[in-house]
Amino acid sequence: DVKVTQSSRYLVKRTGEKVFLECVQDMDHENMFWYRQDPGLGLRLIYFSYDVKMKEKGDIPEGYSVSREKKERFSLILESASTNQTSMYLCASMPGGSGMANYGYTFGSGTRLTVV
Amino acid sequence: AQSVTQLGSHVSVSEGALVLLRCNYSSSVPPYLFWYVQYPNQGLQLLLKYTSAATLVKGINGFEAEFKKSETSFHLTKPSAHMSDAAEYFCAVTKSGGSYIPTFGRGTSLIVHP
């Protein structure tokens, strides 16, 4: 069974800490994505990557950075965590190729981050 | 630009009743349409997708959706709700020849009463 694995289901961090959220996929997908999900706001794209070492800003990149050193791993970094970054974080992946628009995502189980 | 509207942030049904979750889209070119389901404290799972083949699409867990171009709709239905169907449902759209990043609706929470 193909999988997108997020390293932590629940995480509690202090304001100002540097936080790493890890995501690993075993499907050899070119594209990987980080979203945050908040009640009433739906899913908002933070960053995505279409290849190793490549990254693109999504709709809300401020306060975040990403790293993709290997094809299977995409990390989200909160440089200095703040309380307004308390949220559910979802990682997703998708194959590359000419038919990308009709593939759909495979999501991880999510990381619920609380910043205190 | 493409957009998705899900009518009703919450839908409540009785167990055994018909489930109807509404999704309308706007797109300047033929769209690809998706429904995802999210069970509590989990990630999203692809339920079904329309990719310009059959307009009636069958998905997992007995759900299906019909693409209606004239109504710009892609409503999700299930003939008989089960308690295990209680979840958040998201409609999403991409477009052929355009960005592969989907636009998601805000989601509809399905509540199933015994």
Side-chain angles (χ1 to χ4, degrees), chain B residues 28-79:
Chain B
S28 57
V29 297
Y32 298 126
L33 294 154
F34 307 82
W35 275 101
Y36 290 86
V37 60
Q38 184 181 31
Y39 299 105
N41 294 312
Q42 294 189 28
L44 281 71
Q45 178 184 4
L46 185 63
L47 203 52
L48 50 79
K49 63 181 180 180
Y50 166 74
T51 59
S52 75
T55 56
L56 182 62
V57 182
K58 295 187 183 299
I60 60 173
N61 301 335
F63 283 92
E64 61 182 36
E66 186 172 8
F67 172 68
K68 292 187 177 181
K69 184 178 179 181
S70 61
E71 298 177 8
T72 60
S73 69
F74 190 56
H75 301 331
L76 182 70
T77 61
K78 183 174 180 179

Side-chain angles (χ1 to χ4, degrees), chain B residues 57-112:
Chain B
V57 182
K58 295 187 183 299
I60 60 173
N61 301 335
F63 283 92
E64 61 182 36
E66 186 172 8
F67 172 68
K68 292 187 177 181
K69 184 178 179 181
S70 61
E71 298 177 8
T72 60
S73 69
F74 190 56
H75 301 331
L76 182 70
T77 61
K78 183 174 180 179
S80 177
H82 192 273
M83 296 296 291
S84 61
D85 294 326
E88 190 89 12
Y89 292 81
F90 292 89
C91 184
V93 62
T94 60
K95 55 184 181 181
S96 58
S99 170
Y100 59 90
I101 308 292
T103 298
F104 285 90
R106 292 287 181 94
T108 298
S109 178
L110 177 64
I111 301 159
V112 182

